């Protein structure tokens, strides 16, 4: 897990710096603490604490630190999960062509991720603005971060070539292609993550539904020998600029209804990328906090 936001409601109002200090004293380190609807003097009774690194992936250690915190600041109810971000990394371990291989994997993740999010985009630092990939003719650049969904959505996605950590450059041996999924609100409720205690023994493979990877079916395979159908498929994809080079959101306008005109969850032009799906499931299976 990349990070975890924990919501704490204290039995008595206080200031965020006192919560931060008490958590540090309890062994949690100096965590980022945000007061919710603070009153005069910044006093509040609800705080969101962002937990990162080792503590976000060690439920026992986090529980111990919170128990010590509660001894000083009793809570009005059990700690809750406000948001989580789960990341899956793909590292190239060989010395030869590590940079090219990591860049290629980043592009593969960006061009095969299938989501229900909106606003597919890449931030271009040279232009200081987003390139929105739902415009015909746009093409993915693995050197740029790719996002779908927004921070206020229940689910959002981020795919990028990770070469820095906390603003500091990583050595090439630690470069990786990364896909991140952020969940909050109803999305957390849907997967059974409400109370912090829900993390104890949680099966993270439940989150595999948010890591969907697909590839287009070859037009020849989809047409099944029908040359008229082949021509229709080819023309339809070209007219809609439906191509993984723009992102799989570009397939939302084709193959979305079956013969009875019922809406499909995903385009009939797509098939599962089983290699990526299996890798993601294995990574989630190993995520045991």
């Amino acid at each position: 897990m990349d990070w975890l936001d924990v919501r704490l409601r204290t039995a008595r109002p206080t200031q965020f710096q006192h919560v931060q200090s008490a958590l540090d004293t309890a062994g949690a380190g100096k965590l980022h603490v945000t007061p919710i609807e603070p009153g005069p003097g910044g006093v509040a009774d609800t705080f969101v604490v962002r937990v990162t690194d080792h503590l976000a992936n060690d439920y026992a250690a986090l529980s111990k630190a919170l128990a010590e915190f509660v001894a000083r600041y009793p809570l009005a109810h059990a700690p809750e999960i406000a948001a989580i971000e789960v990341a899956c990394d793909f590292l190239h371990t060989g010395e030869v062509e590590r940079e090219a291989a990591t860049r290629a994997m980043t592009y593969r993740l960006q061009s095969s991720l299938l989501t229900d999010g909106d606003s597919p985009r890449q931030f271009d630092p040279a232009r200081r603005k987003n390139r929105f990939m739902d415009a015909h003719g746009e093409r993915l650049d693995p050197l740029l971060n790719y996002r779908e969904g927004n921070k206020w959505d229940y689910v959002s996605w981020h795919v990028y070539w990770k070469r820095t950590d906390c603003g500091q450059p990583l050595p090439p041996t630690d470069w990786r292609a990364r896909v991140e999924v952020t969940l909050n609100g109803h999305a957390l409720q849907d997967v059974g993550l409400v109370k912090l205690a829900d993390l104890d023994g949680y099966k993270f493979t439940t989150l595999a539904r948010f890591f969907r990877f697909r590839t287009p079916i070859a037009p020849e395979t989809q047409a099944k020998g029908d040359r008229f159908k082949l021509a229709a498929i080819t023309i339809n994809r070209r007219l809609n600029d439906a191509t993984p080079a723009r992102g799989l959101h570009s397939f939302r306008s084709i193959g979305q209804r079956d013969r009875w005109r019922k809406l499909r969850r995903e385009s009939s032009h797509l098939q599962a990328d089983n290699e990526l799906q299996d890798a993601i499931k294995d990574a989630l299976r190993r995520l045991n906090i």
Side-chain angles (χ1 to χ4, degrees):
M1 190 150 35
D2 200 28
W3 52 258
L4 165 69
D5 279 354
V6 180
R7 185 185 296 109
L8 304 175
R9 184 174 181 182
T10 54
R12 65 179 189 273
T14 186
Q15 295 175 310
F16 85 91
Q17 62 265 32
H18 299 313
V19 172
Q20 188 178 58
S21 177
L23 286 167
D24 192 9
T25 301
K30 193 169 184 178
L31 303 177
H32 187 273
V33 178
T34 302
I36 306 301
E37 298 182 356
V43 172
D45 64 3
T46 304
F47 303 86
V48 172
V49 180
R50 176 151 297 185
V51 182
T52 60
D53 303 325
H54 168 72
L55 203 60
N57 293 279
D58 189 335
Y59 176 76
L62 178 57
S63 296
K64 182 177 182 294
L66 286 177
E68 293 185 23
F69 169 81
V70 170
R72 183 173 177 183
Y73 285 96
L75 299 180
H77 58 64
E80 299 173 324
I81 300 172
I84 64 169
E85 184 169 272
V86 178
C88 289
D89 290 337
F90 293 80
L91 288 86
H92 184 74
T93 57
E95 291 292 335
V96 180
E97 298 183 348
R98 176 185 287 113
E99 181 174 341
T102 307
R103 184 171 61 247
M105 178 56 76
T106 302
Y107 180 79
R108 180 178 175 184
L109 292 172
Q110 292 177 346
S111 62
S112 60
L113 177 66
L114 182 65
T115 83
D116 299 318
D118 57 10
S119 302
R121 63 200 183 275
Q122 290 192 297
F123 181 74
D124 188 345
R127 296 159 59 183
R128 295 185 179 180
K129 63 179 182 180
N130 284 317
R131 297 169 49 209
F132 287 94
M133 308 306 294
D134 50 6
H136 284 214
E138 287 287 1
R139 293 297 181 262
L140 292 165
D141 182 348
L143 296 179
L144 303 179
N145 291 8
Y146 178 67
R147 293 182 183 273
E148 290 197 38
N150 301 284
K151 61 182 181 180
W152 54 82
D153 294 330
Y154 294 138
V155 189
S156 59
W157 294 261
H158 186 195
V159 187
Y160 61 106
W161 181 2
K162 186 173 177 62
R163 288 171 287 177
T164 63
D165 190 37
C166 297
Q168 299 300 314
L170 290 170
T173 52
D174 288 338
W175 287 352
R176 74 284 306 271
R178 169 172 285 198
V179 53
E180 297 173 346
V181 175
T182 305
L183 307 176
N184 62 69
H186 290 308
L188 289 172
Q189 297 172 22
D190 289 344
V191 297
L193 290 174
V194 179
K195 303 294 185 182
L196 183 64
D198 293 333
L199 284 172
D200 190 13
Y202 185 74
K203 295 185 183 300
F204 281 91
T205 49
T206 304
L207 306 185
R209 72 180 79 169
F210 302 109
F211 294 88
R212 285 188 291 159
F213 292 93
R214 303 289 187 263
T215 58
I217 301 170
E220 296 77 10
T221 301
Q222 193 175 8
K224 298 179 180 179
D226 185 330
R227 62 190 180 91
F228 295 105
K229 188 175 181 179
L230 174 60
I233 292 169
T234 303
I235 292 171
N236 199 13
R237 291 190 189 185
R238 184 171 64 248
L239 289 176
N240 287 278
D241 197 23
T243 170
R246 188 160 67 96
L248 292 189
H249 57 87
S250 63
F251 282 82
R252 292 175 184 170
S253 56
I254 63 174
Q256 288 295 113
R257 295 189 180 275
D258 61 21
R259 66 178 68 182
W260 297 282
R261 305 304 298 163
K262 291 183 179 179
L263 188 65
R264 295 187 174 100
R265 188 187 180 198
E266 57 190 61
S267 172
S268 60
H269 290 246
L270 302 175
Q271 61 187 350
D273 185 329
N274 291 321
E275 185 178 36
L276 281 182
Q277 292 294 160
D278 290 344
I280 289 289
K281 287 179 181 177
D282 285 343
L284 292 173
R285 195 173 290 115
R286 293 192 299 270
L287 184 55
N288 182 8
I289 69 169

